[in-house]
Amino acid sequence: MKNILVVGSINMDLVTICERAPRGGETLFGKDFFQIPGGKGANQAVAIGKLEGRVTMLGKVGKDALGTELLKSLKDNGVNIDRIEREDISSGIAKIIVEENGENRILVVPGANGKVDRDYIDRNIDMIQRADYVVAQLEIPLDTVEYLFEKAKEMEKITILNPAPGRVLNENIIKNSDYVIPNESELELLTGIKTDSEANIILAGKKLLSQGVKGLIITLGSKGSMYMDKNGNYEIYSAYKVKALDTTAAGDSFIGGLVTGLSKGLQIKDAIGLGTKVAAISVTRMGAQSSLPTLDEVLAFKGEN
């Protein structure tokens, strides 16, 4: 089994369940409230840890009660947290509104995540050296992601970028990403090409591949995912048919499963299959990290594509 380093955000998700989200100026009553550890980086690290992958997390939390709880969740789920630092600032939070139909709206306050900088990467350069896979998202400063991937590629590590939340990126980040895993809207932002049809998704994917990406996995929600290799060949993988309760960590769970599969020696097709199973289970449960399945649960899953 190979070593995975996840560098990214660690947030507390403040989740409200409601019939529908309020409109501007409108006040509605919610049905329930949960406080659940989240953050795209932490979610992906926990997904890997629960699947018994070998994973270390780099990031920052505040010197507050939320930070203590966030660290406990990571550690309890098999993530090495030895190098996570605490700052004299609030931990990151995400306010999540989940509607009855499973759709969600998310507002993120970065807090300590905004302090993950180049100096922090330099202090932990040995962790990059020890890793085989380096995974990042975009809930920490873009300058840090760019620097992280530059260092990782100098050491010939495999870099995996989840360009979420969607942002316009410079060519250095793209060219230093071995695998990029966007959803359709993120792919549109990256390429400037409308992703309103399969043909346009393929066109946008080929544009991204021409910038140096070696493999592209586009998540398509309930339709599954599309894999494109460096030559532009593509294949679509169907999602499992499940009743979605909360899609909050669907993308993170998929990425966690995929990266775990790669770290255990699976070919890309089988790694995508593992990620698809993990995502199918996660959307049937509430919350981010609380929805992520264990390896035993994934192995026992029998769904229909």
Side-chain angles (χ1 to χ4, degrees), residues 52-106:
E52 301 179 16
R54 190 179 297 155
V55 59
T56 295
M57 176 93 202
L58 291 184
K60 294 190 178 188
V61 297
K63 292 179 180 178
D64 52 16
L66 293 180
T68 300
E69 190 172 343
L70 290 167
L71 291 177
K72 184 178 186 301
S73 178
L74 287 162
K75 186 175 182 179
D76 288 350
N77 286 297
V79 181
N80 179 352
I81 62 169
D82 290 348
R83 299 297 184 88
I84 294 176
E85 294 182 358
R86 304 190 74 163
E87 293 277 346
D88 286 317
I89 189 173
S90 67
S91 295
I93 65 103
K95 177 59 184 173
I96 302 173
I97 296 177
V98 181
E99 297 181 324
E100 281 188 339
N101 62 7
E103 289 299 313
N104 61 68
R105 291 168 171 79
I106 304 174

Side-chain angles (χ1 to χ4, degrees), residues 161-174:
L161 177 67
N162 172 217
R167 318 248 311 255
V168 175
L169 299 179
N170 67 43
E171 61 181 17
N172 285 335
I173 295 177
I174 298 298

Side-chain angles (χ1 to χ4, degrees), residues 58 66 109 166 214 217 220 287:
L58 291 184
L66 293 180
V109 180
K214 297 178 180 63
I217 302 103
L220 305 171

Side-chain angles (χ1 to χ4, degrees), residues 48-299:
I48 295 164
K50 294 185 78 168
L51 295 171
E52 301 179 16
R54 190 179 297 155
V55 59
T56 295
M57 176 93 202
L58 291 184
K60 294 190 178 188
V61 297
K63 292 179 180 178
D64 52 16
L66 293 180
T68 300
E69 190 172 343
L70 290 167
L71 291 177
K72 184 178 186 301
S73 178
L74 287 162
K75 186 175 182 179
D76 288 350
N77 286 297
V79 181
N80 179 352
I81 62 169
D82 290 348
R83 299 297 184 88
I84 294 176
E85 294 182 358
R86 304 190 74 163
E87 293 277 346
D88 286 317
I89 189 173
S90 67
S91 295
I93 65 103
K95 177 59 184 173
I96 302 173
I97 296 177
V98 181
E99 297 181 324
E100 281 188 339
N101 62 7
E103 289 299 313
N104 61 68
R105 291 168 171 79
I106 304 174
L107 179 66
V108 175
V109 180
N113 296 304
K115 299 293 186 178
V116 180
D117 55 17
R118 290 187 178 217
D119 288 342
Y120 175 67
I121 298 301
D122 284 338
R123 288 197 296 277
N124 292 282
I125 205 75
D126 60 317
M127 301 308 295
I128 301 174
Q129 184 63 62
R130 296 175 194 174
D132 298 288
Y133 295 88
V134 177
V135 183
Q137 319 76 32
L138 304 180
E139 287 185 333
I140 58 174
L142 288 184
D143 177 71
T144 307
V145 176
E146 181 177 0
Y147 186 66
L148 168 70
F149 274 19
E150 284 177 0
K151 292 300 180 184
K153 291 316 297 177
E154 285 175 8
M155 300 177 195
E156 299 182 339
K157 307 303 178 180
I158 297 173
T159 53
I160 298 174
L161 177 67
N162 172 217
R167 318 248 311 255
V168 175
L169 299 179
N170 67 43
E171 61 181 17
N172 285 335
I173 295 177
I174 298 298
K175 75 178 183 182
N176 284 322
S177 301
D178 291 308
Y179 291 97
V180 178
I181 311 176
N183 62 23
E184 293 162 276
S185 62
E186 292 155 1
L187 179 63
E188 185 171 315
L189 267 175
L190 289 173
T191 63
I193 297 174
K194 288 284 185 183
T195 54
D196 51 0
S197 67
E198 183 176 311
N200 282 349
I201 289 172
I202 293 167
L203 186 64
K206 288 182 176 179
K207 180 177 179 178
L208 204 58
L209 291 166
S210 72
Q211 296 175 274
V213 175
K214 297 178 180 63
L216 178 64
I217 302 103
I218 307 155
T219 57
L220 305 171
S222 61
K223 293 177 286 185
S225 61
M226 177 189 292
Y227 171 66
M228 298 184 71
D229 66 20
K230 62 183 180 181
N231 297 315
N233 301 312
Y234 72 93
E235 186 169 353
I236 294 176
Y237 297 85
S238 299
Y240 288 93
K241 297 175 183 176
V242 297
K243 184 176 181 180
L245 178 63
D246 178 11
T247 62
T248 300
D252 297 331
S253 60
F254 174 82
I255 291 165
L258 186 149
V259 177
T260 303
L262 292 175
S263 77
K264 294 184 178 182
L266 297 184
Q267 296 298 310
I268 187 66
K269 176 180 179 179
D270 296 321
I272 290 172
L274 178 61
T276 304
K277 283 187 177 183
V278 176
I281 296 170
S282 76
V283 299
T284 65
R285 303 171 176 176
M286 280 303 308
Q289 291 173 30
S290 58
S291 74
L292 301 171
T294 63
L295 180 59
D296 286 343
E297 288 174 324
V298 174
L299 294 175

